[in-house]
Amino acid sequence: MAQLYSSLKPTPMLKDELDIVIPTIRNLDFLEMWRPFFEQYHLIIVQDGDPSRTINIPKGFDYELYNRNDINRILGPKASCISFKDSACRCFGYMVSKKKYIYTIDDDCFVAKDPSGKEINALEQHIKNLLTPSTPHFFNTLYDPYGDGADFVRGYPFSMREGAITVVSHGLWLNIPDYDAPTQLFSWLYAGTLFPMCGMNLAFDREMIGPAMYFGLMGDGQPIGRYDDMWAGWCVKVICDHMGWGVKTGLPYIWHSKASNPFVNLRKEYNGIFWQEEAIPFFQSLTLPKECTLVQQCYMELAKLVREKLGKVDPYFIKLADGMVTWIEAWEELNSQDETEAKAPKGKDE
């Protein structure tokens, strides 16, 4: 009897309400390390690069696998809004998911350990972050007053202790920091005033903020790369502030196993290093109209302002604004009440 019980796996949190989205160009051997934490969840794998290449996925996982041919087939002309040869392609997985929550992770990220040597269940911590409130309107000097053993500090207003809905949980990483190319080369950290979101260890409420999680036009055919997650983060933060929602950053940690080539990254980031000096003040100065009560409305307003203001910086931003509009149109089509399910030709592992 004891052996019978020990073989039963406990049902993880939000098992049927969360998809794990993974962008990749390689075999997903890294999933073996995550098996204890991911195996019972549904995976959406977005294959970048050559669609004829076979991606090997360990047995036992429930997944859908989409490549560029699938993206073109499902979205038609609107596939132009999905980046190619850039991890920004992951946002296609957000669009086709039917779950309330998304967790996205890169394929060079592994399970970290806490100081006692215990493996960290990053996904479980993200879920706890999303299911507990945030405190965006008044700073609390403890990391998370809603966590185990924590509370509000003396002087925190009682009227604000209910907090705000959390829609984004931004985790961090050990071993290889996610530097920009100049920092990788010269070991200095670029100081920014907006939330510098990284997409390699990120969870969010898809139903609430999903339409704003567009990772932009990056990679092949574009004059910029590696700014996809930061662009999404700037847009998301402005909209969350407008809607009164919370964003958490910090826990959980994962182990980032390798760094990409900083010289290659510099070529991808070169324009962005200059353009961010215009983009960040743009986002800092934004005030969305009170008439914008839906995320889609907020995002369309952002697209209009990107075209008007940042389009003067470089024509790329006009193209990006067009991509933002197309993204919302495609999101609405795939997520309407009478939608036709978008199925990948490669499905569950039997």
Side-chain angles (χ1 to χ4, degrees):
M1 183 65 70
Q3 288 182 339
L4 174 62
Y5 281 118
S6 64
S7 66
L8 297 176
K9 297 179 181 178
T11 301
M13 299 172 69
L14 301 181
K15 174 183 177 294
D16 298 320
E17 298 180 67
L18 181 144
D19 278 334
I20 299 173
V21 175
I22 305 168
T24 192
I25 58 171
R26 57 181 62 88
N27 296 333
L28 295 183
D29 300 330
F30 91 114
L31 283 173
E32 288 293 356
M33 192 177 203
W34 287 102
R35 186 179 291 277
F37 309 121
F38 288 1
E39 190 173 26
Q40 296 189 63
Y41 290 93
H42 180 67
L43 312 182
I44 297 178
I45 300 162
V46 183
Q47 178 182 344
D48 198 15
D50 182 2
S52 67
R53 185 178 185 274
T54 299
I55 297 292
N56 293 322
I57 300 160
K59 292 186 178 298
F61 288 93
D62 173 31
Y63 68 90
E64 296 168 70
L65 173 61
Y66 296 90
N67 60 35
R68 192 69 201 188
N69 292 338
D70 301 316
I71 294 171
N72 291 337
R73 171 178 56 83
I74 292 166
L75 296 184
K78 291 184 173 63
S80 61
C81 72
I82 304 298
S83 298
F84 183 57
K85 294 186 178 180
D86 193 281
S87 65
C89 68
R90 79 178 76 220
C91 61
F92 176 77
Y94 311 160
M95 185 184 287
V96 297
S97 171
K98 305 305 172 195
K99 303 292 179 61
K100 177 173 174 55
Y101 299 101
I102 293 289
Y103 174 54
T104 184
I105 185 172
D106 283 3
D107 59 15
D108 61 352
C109 294
F110 294 86
V111 178
K113 294 183 179 181
D114 67 17
S116 72
K118 180 182 178 182
E119 291 187 335
I120 297 171
N121 186 345
L123 178 53
E124 182 179 72
Q125 181 62 54
H126 275 298
I127 291 171
K128 290 179 179 178
N129 288 349
L130 290 170
L131 295 182
T132 54
S134 297
T135 55
H137 306 301
F138 196 94
F139 181 73
N140 190 66
T141 49
L142 292 178
Y143 169 72
D144 184 359
Y146 306 100
D148 295 338
D151 206 341
F152 290 94
V153 296
R154 180 172 60 92
Y156 198 97
F158 286 92
S159 61
M160 303 180 76
R161 295 191 180 194
E162 289 187 3
I165 295 170
T166 303
V167 297
V168 178
S169 173
H170 178 246
L172 300 179
W173 46 92
L174 303 171
N175 191 38
I176 303 294
D178 188 38
Y179 293 138
D180 51 27
T183 305
Q184 285 182 311
L185 289 168
F186 305 118
S187 297
W188 57 268
L189 181 62
Y190 184 80
T193 56
L194 277 174
F195 170 57
M197 192 173 79
C198 175
M200 69 176 160
N201 179 26
L202 176 72
F204 60 92
D205 187 322
R206 178 183 174 277
E207 289 184 358
M208 299 285 283
I209 198 62
M213 276 290 179
Y214 176 48
F215 276 42
L217 284 173
M218 304 280 160
D220 192 58
Q222 309 302 333
I224 184 174
R226 286 174 52 84
Y227 271 81
D228 51 316
D229 44 9
M230 289 184 287
W231 178 265
W234 297 334
C235 294
V236 162
K237 188 60 170 62
V238 167
I239 292 174
C240 284
D241 290 347
H242 175 75
M243 302 294 282
W245 297 337
V247 175
K248 292 182 180 178
T249 184
L251 296 177
Y253 286 85
I254 47 87
W255 185 268
H256 189 203
S257 69
K258 65 181 180 181
S260 49
N261 187 311
F263 296 98
V264 173
N265 291 345
L266 183 58
R267 287 197 296 271
K268 294 178 179 179
E269 296 174 10
Y270 185 80
N271 286 326
I273 291 167
F274 296 98
W275 291 345
Q276 70 182 7
E277 301 304 311
E278 303 286 345
I280 289 173
F282 163 76
F283 281 103
Q284 286 176 319
S285 65
L286 277 182
T287 301
L288 294 172
K290 63 181 181 180
E291 291 78 18
C292 292
T293 57
L294 299 174
V295 170
Q296 289 91 329
Q297 293 172 336
C298 293
Y299 204 74
M300 293 295 275
E301 180 68 18
L302 269 179
K304 183 184 77 171
L305 294 171
V306 166
R307 174 184 295 276
E308 291 176 0
K309 305 296 184 181
L310 294 181
K312 299 174 183 177
V313 175
D314 191 271
Y316 163 74
F317 287 101
I318 297 175
K319 188 176 182 181
L320 177 55
D322 291 339
M324 294 168 72
V325 172
T326 302
W327 162 264
I328 291 295
E329 292 172 349
W331 183 282
E332 291 290 283
E333 286 183 11
L334 284 186
N335 293 279
S336 62
Q337 294 294 328
D338 57 348
E339 65 188 280
T340 300
E341 289 191 8
K343 289 295 184 183
K346 312 165 192 68
K348 296 182 179 180
D349 176 46
E350 299 300 335

